[in-house]
Amino acid sequence: MAPYQQYLLNTGLGAGTPLVQAEDNHGDFLLGDFDGDGIPDLYFIKRRNTGSKMIEVHVLSGQSNYGKFIEHHGTALVQAEDSNGSFALGYNVGDGVSDLYFIKRRNTGSKMIEVHVLTGRSQFANRTGHVTSLVQAEDNNGDFLVGDFDRDGIPDLFFIKRRNTGSKTIEVHVLSGSSQYKNFILHHGTSLVQAEDNNGDYALADLDRDGVSDLYFIKKRNTGTKTIEVHVLSGRSQYMNFIQHAGTAFSAGSALNGDFPIADFDRDGIPDLYFIERRPVGIKSIEVEILAGSG
């Protein structure tokens, strides 16, 4: 079967999720494993209007089809950090619980991009900070993702440089987690031209199951198929070779209404495409739709 054509889940056909649509502007949504069952849980990183005055983490369980909360917790990050960076999830092999990464991109004391890790095991109370080798001036040039490039089980920091690249292509720069984000282990242009910058978003997942994170380009605009498209560059090829090009069952118009992260919902080893529908939905809750991937 062609990838991203068959629904695995659509919460909009049932009771919806417990997250009200009014939360849309208050934070970000990420996918990771909180309860250790291998099914991606939905993390709502509440950055604004929190009761605790801290950045908060609220988790909906994947096992409940995102119908039940399994965590509500403030973190060690004050709410004033909201405008200073972005968030990602990652975990060390053997830990089994996703940690929260705060990529501090602005107003850093070191004048460098910083990585602050809040451990899931501590309910995001324990925080470790690292100064990277990326200058703060790179902030506006791209996105930061967390994944494993060197297959050592320690999350690495990926800088997807989308603008002002020397190669005139989208570039991938990777700082190793084992060096506490000091040492680069990759600088490479990709097969994506820089003109694609405004057409979509990026994610990491292992499509070919070789242990190296592959780069997903979720093309949301100017697609030939008039749908949301998925284009995957293999990590083994240093992001030069495409291993998937696919249109999906999500219309291009849905790009205005939410986010499209990647994770393996059905535990078949193949990443699936999520649509976190934040705007507008008929039953007034945040919705989760999932399309099955295939290799």
Side-chain angles (χ1 to χ4, degrees), residues 75-112:
T75 73
L77 282 170
V78 296
Q79 198 173 350
E81 292 284 17
D82 171 32
S83 60
N84 288 333
S86 53
F87 291 90
L89 292 173
Y91 64 87
N92 290 289
V93 168
D95 183 296
V97 179
S98 295
D99 300 320
L100 182 65
Y101 284 67
F102 175 51
I103 315 302
K104 190 166 183 177
R105 307 165 62 150
R106 294 172 288 280
N107 299 313
T108 63
S110 63
K111 305 302 181 187
M112 309 294 285

Side-chain angles (χ1 to χ4, degrees), residues 46-55 77-83:
K46 190 165 183 177
R47 306 170 61 147
R48 295 172 287 278
N49 298 315
T50 65
S52 64
K53 306 302 182 186
M54 310 295 285
I55 304 292
L77 282 170
V78 296
Q79 198 173 350
E81 292 284 17
D82 171 32
S83 60

Side-chain angles (χ1 to χ4, degrees), residues 10 30 68 74-75 78 81 90 123 145 153 159 169 177 188 223 239 241 252 293:
N10 185 347
L30 300 171
K68 295 180 181 178
T75 73
V78 296
E81 292 284 17
Q123 293 183 308
L145 303 171
F159 175 46
T169 71
H188 218 280
T223 63
Y239 309 105
N241 296 338

Side-chain angles (χ1 to χ4, degrees), residues 4 7-9 11 30-32 38-42 60-63 65-66 218 228 230 248 250 254 258-267 270-277 287-293:
Y4 317 117
Y7 276 87
L8 296 172
L9 180 69
T11 64
L30 300 171
L31 293 169
I39 304 173
D41 304 309
L42 182 64
L60 288 164
S61 81
Q63 190 172 56
N65 288 341
Y66 308 104
I218 313 300
I228 302 296
V230 177
T248 75
F250 295 137
S254 62
D259 307 327
F260 298 88
I262 297 285
D264 182 11
F265 176 71
D266 55 6
R267 293 186 287 184
I270 301 172
D272 306 308
L273 179 64
Y274 280 65
F275 176 36
I276 312 301
E277 191 170 9
E287 300 301 341
V288 178
E289 301 176 28
I290 308 172
L291 295 174

Side-chain angles (χ1 to χ4, degrees), residues 68-284:
K68 295 180 181 178
F69 280 106
I70 51 175
E71 175 74 350
H72 297 282
H73 220 279
T75 73
L77 282 170
V78 296
Q79 198 173 350
E81 292 284 17
D82 171 32
S83 60
N84 288 333
S86 53
F87 291 90
L89 292 173
Y91 64 87
N92 290 289
V93 168
D95 183 296
V97 179
S98 295
D99 300 320
L100 182 65
Y101 284 67
F102 175 51
I103 315 302
K104 190 166 183 177
R105 307 165 62 150
R106 294 172 288 280
N107 299 313
T108 63
S110 63
K111 305 302 181 187
M112 309 294 285
I113 302 294
E114 296 178 355
V115 175
H116 298 262
V117 184
L118 299 112
T119 63
R121 288 271 181 207
S122 72
Q123 293 183 308
F124 314 105
N126 293 343
R127 172 181 171 182
T128 304
H130 306 283
V131 177
T132 77
S133 297
L134 272 169
V135 296
Q136 201 173 356
E138 291 285 16
D139 172 30
N140 292 320
N141 289 332
D143 303 329
F144 294 89
L145 303 171
V146 171
D148 193 1
F149 180 76
D150 54 11
R151 292 188 288 188
D152 66 354
I154 302 171
D156 305 309
L157 181 67
F158 286 64
F159 175 46
I160 312 302
K161 191 166 183 178
R162 306 170 63 148
R163 295 172 286 281
N164 300 314
T165 64
S167 64
K168 305 302 181 186
T169 71
I170 304 296
E171 295 178 352
V172 178
H173 303 267
V174 184
L175 287 157
S176 78
S178 61
S179 73
Q180 297 186 331
Y181 313 105
K182 289 291 190 184
N183 297 337
F184 281 100
I185 51 177
L186 184 71
H187 295 284
H188 218 280
T190 73
S191 296
L192 281 166
V193 296
Q194 199 172 350
E196 292 284 16
D197 173 29
N198 292 319
N199 288 333
D201 301 321
Y202 295 88
L204 294 173
D206 188 6
L207 176 63
D208 54 13
R209 289 177 275 189
D210 64 355
V212 182
S213 295
D214 303 312
L215 182 65
Y216 281 65
F217 175 47
I218 313 300
K219 190 165 183 178
K220 300 160 64 170
R221 293 172 286 279
N222 300 312
T223 63
T225 61
K226 308 300 183 186
T227 71
I228 302 296
E229 294 179 352
V230 177
H231 304 271
V232 185
L233 288 157
S234 81
R236 185 181 288 274
S237 73
Q238 296 187 322
Y239 309 105
M240 291 302 296
N241 296 338
F242 282 102
I243 53 176
Q244 189 175 75
H245 296 282
T248 75
F250 295 137
S251 70
S254 62
L256 299 174
N257 294 336
D259 307 327
F260 298 88
I262 297 285
D264 182 11
F265 176 71
D266 55 6
R267 293 186 287 184
D268 65 353
I270 301 172
D272 306 308
L273 179 64
Y274 280 65
F275 176 36
I276 312 301
E277 191 170 9
R278 306 169 62 147
R279 306 167 291 272
V281 285
I283 59 176
K284 304 304 182 186

Side-chain angles (χ1 to χ4, degrees), residues 22-52:
E23 293 284 15
D24 173 30
N25 291 320
H26 294 158
D28 304 327
F29 294 90
L30 300 171
L31 293 169
D33 193 1
F34 181 79
D35 53 12
D37 65 358
I39 304 173
D41 304 309
L42 182 64
Y43 288 60
F44 175 49
I45 313 302
K46 190 165 183 177
R47 306 170 61 147
R48 295 172 287 278
N49 298 315
T50 65
S52 64

